[in-house]
Amino acid sequence: MPGEPSIPAIPSPGAPHPSGPCVLLKHGEIFLKGRNRHLFTERLHDNLRGALRGIGGSTWIKAGQNVTVLGGEVPLEDLVERARRVIGFNSVEPALRVPSTVSDITGTAVEALAAARAERPGISFAVRVKRRNKSFEMTSSQFERFLGARVREALGPLPVNLSSPDVLVSVEIDHKESYVSWSRHQGPGGLPVGSSGRALVLLSGGYDSPVAAHRAMRRGLHCDFVHFTGAPYTNAASVYKAYALARELNRYQPGGQLHVIALGHAQKQLAIAGAGRLQVVAQRRLMVRAASALAGRTRAEALVTGDSLGQVASQTLANMAAVDEAATLPVLRPLVGWEKQEIIDEARSLGTAEISVLPDEDCCKLLAPPRVTLRAGLTGLLSVEKRLDLDDLVDGLLSDVQVMYPGNSGEEAEPGAAVPAGAGCHAGQVDGRPSSERGRESRIASASSLIARTTSAAGRMPSTKDAD
């Protein structure tokens, strides 16, 4: 990920030889679980196996106490890149496996620091030891002092910094083998995706809803997506954006489906029914009605939106309460207390900001009045809705829903599934190499090109006068 240190080179092992490179994956908050912890761990490992699919070589996973060890016949960088997407791991640490002897561990630690010093002269260091094998001949603190002394004997007076060292050598001592690491990457943390159930995310093309989706995933929700487009009065640019966003989000979970619903005709009916300043809130009520009905097909138990309290007129407390009244499922708002800049910063770290900034025609702006009410009353909304047959309207919306499988172009789609032309690449291999930053740039460029071509062929959006 941008701005993070690269994986240091594995030092050439001396005698005795290390058992080989691996990746230590430290568990997140599932360590707080009690008797059912094994269920969360099994889900976490299932998700890890899914993230490793198509990596191009054999891999293995070993379970430990609050840690998972990952290895295989593939480059360590590839294992790290895949593992860093898996929600439920707090940290991802490239490491070496060595026999659990003082000489093996000491030799590997010295070689690791020698390699680090060759790249960055003058570095400071510290040693941390965690002893799972309590029969080891030294305690953790004793071995820390021993290793520090041996390093300084072998490499000279390297400066020691116990609070913020340039290189932290971590040693985890198990019964048969131990692990020495000197680089750490932050993991997503949270609960394994799928351990809390399923949710349906109302996915727009902006910054907010993708970040809300990722936050929901971190609470253990497996997310499918629904995108409302203003078709036939708007072009397909927002669909390509939603597809690209869902594809990025599916890098963090087993692939979720994207459902696309054309809302344009229904929005026009609301305007003709005299929604006026209630138009935007009435549209959002219609969206959550349709999403609630769609959730029955996806087995979702909640809806997720990117609402942030007071960010725009439709997201005042009164208007959000009015929208919730139309839903038949809980409406979760992970970003309700976030500021806009916080959301944008998170979107950048996820890799969705570059897609969200691409131009499109937002269905929420279609037929929107010059001023939106800040306190939509249920009496007025119900009055507008009584002029329509809401059940038929929702049934009509769902009868034409398109189902897409972002990021799963290599898998067989169900009958009737649609995929935007040219948008089918997924989080696997790019030019035979792992899809890290280059893969992300390729996906964004693909979406940008499709959106540009679609926008150039756009038709005229109807005005409020057209609806009247």
Side-chain angles (χ1 to χ4, degrees):
M1 293 187 182
E4 298 215 13
S6 59
I7 299 171
I10 298 294
S12 300
H17 293 284
S19 300
C22 64
V23 182
L24 290 182
L25 306 173
K26 304 295 181 65
H27 295 182
E29 62 185 278
I30 64 173
F31 81 91
L32 297 173
K33 303 299 178 183
R35 296 177 182 176
N36 62 348
R37 185 189 304 175
H38 68 283
L39 299 176
F40 288 85
T41 303
E42 289 171 7
R43 175 74 70 171
L44 182 61
H45 288 170
D46 285 342
N47 293 345
L48 177 58
R49 280 186 280 270
L52 295 171
R53 191 174 296 124
I55 198 170
S58 63
T59 58
W60 53 263
I61 296 172
K62 178 182 176 182
Q65 183 180 0
N66 297 325
V67 68
T68 295
V69 186
L70 172 64
E73 298 177 355
V74 293
L76 199 63
E77 292 83 356
D78 293 356
L79 293 177
V80 169
E81 194 267 330
R82 296 295 183 95
R84 292 182 69 189
R85 307 179 200 160
V86 181
I87 292 173
F89 292 122
N90 267 2
S91 68
V92 179
E93 302 179 19
L96 283 173
R97 294 181 296 138
V98 300
S100 291
T101 67
V102 170
S103 59
D104 286 313
I105 297 171
T106 302
T108 303
V110 170
E111 289 172 351
L113 278 166
R117 187 180 66 170
E119 294 180 1
R120 292 183 293 164
I123 59 171
S124 62
F125 82 101
V127 178
R128 296 286 184 270
V129 174
K130 184 171 186 178
R131 191 180 56 141
R132 292 193 173 91
N133 177 11
K134 300 304 181 184
S135 63
F136 190 74
E137 56 192 272
M138 284 184 266
T139 66
S140 296
S141 58
Q142 288 172 341
F143 198 34
E144 287 175 354
R145 292 193 293 271
F146 176 86
L147 282 177
R150 299 292 82 77
V151 165
R152 289 170 65 88
E153 285 178 6
L155 302 179
L158 281 180
V160 176
N161 187 334
L162 298 180
S163 57
S164 56
D166 296 317
V167 177
L168 175 64
V169 178
S170 296
V171 178
E172 301 207 7
I173 303 173
D174 219 326
H175 288 81
K176 293 185 178 180
E177 59 186 18
S178 296
Y179 308 96
V180 180
S181 63
W182 57 96
S183 175
R184 175 176 176 169
H185 302 269
Q186 188 70 35
L191 295 173
V193 172
S195 61
S196 299
R198 300 182 71 96
L200 184 62
V201 178
L202 278 68
L203 185 67
S204 69
Y207 291 109
D208 303 348
S209 56
V211 175
H214 186 260
R215 284 279 154 176
M217 292 175 193
R218 290 184 60 187
R219 300 317 308 151
L221 288 171
H222 184 283
C223 293
D224 292 302
F225 312 97
V226 58
H227 175 71
F228 292 91
T229 172
Y233 304 121
T234 59
N235 61 40
S238 72
V239 179
Y240 288 115
K241 280 184 68 175
Y243 187 93
L245 289 168
R247 186 173 55 193
E248 281 299 314
L249 292 167
N250 277 344
R251 289 161 58 81
Y252 299 94
Q253 68 167 9
Q257 299 176 357
L258 171 64
H259 303 260
V260 178
I261 296 178
L263 196 67
H265 286 312
Q267 290 176 275
K268 191 169 185 178
Q269 290 184 52
L270 284 171
I272 293 172
R277 292 185 63 189
L278 299 173
Q279 176 76 22
V280 173
V281 180
Q283 289 174 182
R284 292 184 67 83
R285 281 172 59 88
L286 182 57
M287 289 179 186
V288 299
R289 286 182 194 276
S292 297
L294 179 61
R297 302 182 184 180
T298 65
R299 307 191 311 279
E301 303 164 81
L303 305 180
V304 175
T305 76
D307 293 343
S308 172
L309 184 61
Q311 186 180 116
V312 293
S314 62
Q315 294 173 15
T316 63
L317 188 59
N319 287 350
M320 288 195 293
V323 170
D324 285 359
E325 194 274 338
T328 58
L329 294 175
V331 180
L332 307 181
R333 296 180 171 90
L335 309 183
V336 69
W338 287 40
E339 296 180 3
K340 190 66 177 183
Q341 191 58 52
E342 292 177 309
I343 298 171
I344 293 173
D345 291 343
E346 180 101 346
R348 287 173 178 157
S349 69
L350 290 178
T352 58
E354 299 94 333
I355 300 170
S356 295
V357 77
L358 296 174
D360 71 335
E361 291 186 349
D362 184 358
C363 77
C364 293
K365 297 178 182 178
L366 178 65
L367 302 171
R371 296 182 64 189
V372 178
T373 181
L374 300 178
R375 297 185 61 84
L378 278 179
T379 302
L381 289 165
L382 293 174
S383 176
V384 172
E385 292 172 351
K386 282 180 181 178
R387 299 167 197 158
L388 305 169
D389 190 329
L390 286 178
D391 291 338
D392 284 349
L393 200 58
V394 171
D395 289 344
L397 292 175
L398 297 186
S399 65
D400 294 327
V401 64
Q402 289 181 295
V403 184
M404 304 179 184
Y405 298 83
N408 294 325
S409 61
E411 300 177 7
E412 185 176 348
E414 295 181 5
V419 177
C425 63
H426 59 97
Q429 300 286 327
V430 178
D431 294 338
R433 288 178 288 175
S435 56
S436 54
E437 294 311 311
R438 177 176 176 182
R440 176 179 292 170
E441 291 173 3
S442 175
R443 293 189 298 275
I444 294 169
S446 174
S448 180
S449 175
L450 288 165
I451 291 168
R453 293 202 302 270
T454 305
T455 305
S456 66
R460 183 176 67 91
M461 294 177 63
S463 64
T464 306
K465 292 182 178 179
D466 293 328
D468 293 334

